[in-house]
Amino acid sequence: MKAFIGIDVGKEKLDVSWLRDVVKNKQKTKVLKNTKQGYQELVDWVLKNTGLEAQNIVITTEPTGIYSEPLMYFLYAQGFTLLHVNPGKAKQYAKSLGLVHKTDKSDATMLARYGHDQQHSLSSWQPEPVEARELKAMMRRLEALEQDLQREENRYEAVGFSGASARVAQSLKDMIAVLKAEIDKLKNEIDEHIDRHPQLKKNRQLLESINGVGEVTSRIMVCLLACKRFKSAKQLASYLGLIPKHNESGKRAGKTTLSKEGPGYIRAKLYMAAIVAGQHNTDIKAQKTRLLKQGKTKMQALGAAMRKLSQICFGVVKNQTEYQPQVS
């Protein structure tokens, strides 16, 4: 016998729903704080109400980054079976149930039902190795710093056009210098971290054997492939939002675009890598030529290049072999 729990994770609270009766759709709910004390209260509440051991309890959540990860690590250590649901698929599942009103409570119940219905098709969540977790934290910091730098550079450019205060311009210039220095320092530390761990280092070398993949893209993909366990290249492309989406209504009816779900930061880096690969990678050049001859737009061909590049990255890491072009 198993019990199914859904948790909607917010910044400050956890909305919990225990699916007491699947057929009659009966559930029992609880709201707890998203703190270490709240995690222990959650475990006590679940074990007391279900009357089961932790290994017989399936808990389903959606990934919410820094707000959900501490909870997942805690629950994993307690022995629960954990399922991490793709937000896009959870949304589709909610539509299939005919859910109209979206609340934290209803989301938690939906996740519990999703875990019940999809338990055999979903892989249980496991924490990444310590070195991958540290790399992920540093990569997140790098992403934040680069975004801060872009904002400050935009402000500096605006000040130049408007001819505003010289003091403001100098402040922005100083901040830009500080951010650039910190970004360079952090990149060096990330590279040193990768070099200290043989598997991460090897994966990066394999990724950089791909024409079009340089230090920026390899740094990102090493982290992504170390932290997430993708079953296939298609699953990776789907996670990155690189799967074609057919538009059936509005001005875009009949046109195909990328789904653009998942991390936009990684997608932006792959965009630049795909442009380079379109010039120097024989496989991607050949694909681009073929698609353009078929009447695809340049943007559609570039989207396909991003998808193929991500799939090649997956392949070299999974097979632990350097990239071998199919087209000479």
Side-chain angles (χ1 to χ4, degrees):
M1 181 178 177
K2 290 184 178 181
F4 295 87
I5 309 289
I7 305 178
D8 184 79
V9 182
K11 180 179 179 179
E12 297 181 349
K13 66 186 179 75
L14 308 171
D15 283 86
V16 186
S17 179
W18 166 38
L19 200 59
R20 297 174 59 187
D21 191 316
V22 178
V23 177
K24 296 181 180 179
N25 196 29
K26 290 184 177 180
Q27 64 270 338
K28 188 171 184 178
T29 61
K30 182 79 171 176
V31 179
L32 299 160
K33 291 183 178 180
N34 191 356
T35 61
K36 290 184 178 180
Q37 181 179 342
Y39 301 162
Q40 187 59 57
E41 291 174 358
L42 167 65
V43 170
D44 295 340
W45 183 83
V46 168
L47 295 178
K48 179 181 178 181
N49 282 275
T50 62
L52 299 174
E53 299 292 328
Q55 61 266 28
N56 295 319
I57 299 173
V58 179
I59 298 179
T60 307
T61 67
E62 283 182 304
T64 54
I66 59 173
Y67 301 129
S68 63
E69 286 176 359
L71 172 65
M72 299 296 284
Y73 296 136
F74 184 87
L75 294 176
Y76 181 84
Q78 303 297 315
F80 292 96
T81 299
L82 305 176
L83 301 179
H84 232 15
V85 179
N86 181 299
K89 291 187 176 180
K91 186 176 180 180
Q92 292 175 356
Y93 179 77
K95 286 183 178 179
S96 73
L97 296 178
L99 297 178
V100 178
H101 302 292
K102 179 178 171 58
T103 65
D104 295 338
K105 180 179 176 180
S106 67
D107 281 351
T109 300
M110 178 273 292
L111 289 170
R113 292 193 61 179
Y114 189 89
H116 173 270
D117 294 348
Q118 304 294 324
Q119 57 181 300
H120 300 300
S121 61
L122 295 173
S123 299
S124 59
W125 180 89
Q126 293 182 332
E128 62 272 16
V130 174
E131 64 270 19
R133 194 184 309 178
E134 176 66 19
L135 178 59
K136 180 170 66 174
M138 289 193 290
M139 288 299 296
R140 278 180 175 163
R141 181 57 184 160
L142 178 61
E143 177 185 352
L145 288 172
E146 288 182 339
Q147 290 173 346
D148 288 342
L149 175 61
Q150 185 62 60
R151 281 191 287 266
E152 290 295 86
E153 287 179 334
N154 291 342
R155 292 179 183 124
Y156 184 70
E157 184 179 3
V159 166
F161 277 112
S162 65
S165 167
R167 178 66 185 87
V168 172
Q170 186 60 50
S171 174
L172 288 166
K173 193 174 181 179
D174 292 344
M175 185 57 67
I176 288 170
V178 170
L179 287 169
K180 284 183 175 180
E182 183 61 23
I183 286 171
D184 289 342
K185 180 182 177 183
L186 187 55
K187 283 180 179 178
N188 288 333
E189 291 175 355
I190 290 171
D191 293 342
E192 290 172 0
H193 178 83
I194 291 173
D195 288 342
R196 282 198 302 271
H197 296 87
Q199 190 59 59
L200 295 178
K201 183 177 181 179
K202 182 178 181 181
N203 287 351
R204 189 172 196 184
Q205 291 171 342
L206 293 172
L207 288 164
E208 292 185 350
S209 72
I210 305 168
N211 294 334
V213 174
E215 65 175 27
V216 173
T217 306
S218 67
R219 195 181 286 128
I220 290 173
M221 295 306 291
V222 163
C223 179
L224 177 61
L225 294 172
C227 293
K228 291 193 174 293
R229 296 172 176 82
F230 297 103
K231 293 181 179 179
S232 65
K234 183 177 180 180
Q235 188 182 46
L236 168 61
S238 177
Y239 171 80
L240 293 173
L242 302 176
I243 298 299
K245 181 179 70 174
H246 299 285
N247 297 287
E248 300 177 355
S249 62
K251 293 181 179 180
R252 292 181 174 269
K255 296 183 180 180
T256 301
T257 58
L258 297 180
S259 65
K260 292 187 178 180
E261 296 178 353
Y265 174 78
I266 299 178
R267 203 162 46 245
K269 301 300 184 183
L270 280 174
Y271 176 87
M272 299 305 298
I275 292 176
V276 175
Q279 298 173 336
H280 302 287
N281 186 301
T282 54
D283 288 333
I284 290 178
K285 282 178 68 176
Q287 176 187 255
K288 177 182 176 182
T289 301
R290 184 177 69 253
L291 292 174
L292 291 176
K293 284 183 178 179
Q294 293 174 358
K296 302 295 184 181
T297 66
K298 289 183 179 180
M299 285 305 297
Q300 286 175 324
L302 185 55
M306 293 168 65
R307 183 165 58 254
K308 187 172 184 67
L309 192 59
S310 72
Q311 293 169 341
I312 293 173
C313 288
F314 175 85
V316 298
V317 172
K318 180 181 180 182
N319 298 317
Q320 292 292 286
T321 56
E322 290 192 355
Y323 172 58
Q324 298 294 327
Q326 302 299 307
V327 178
S328 58

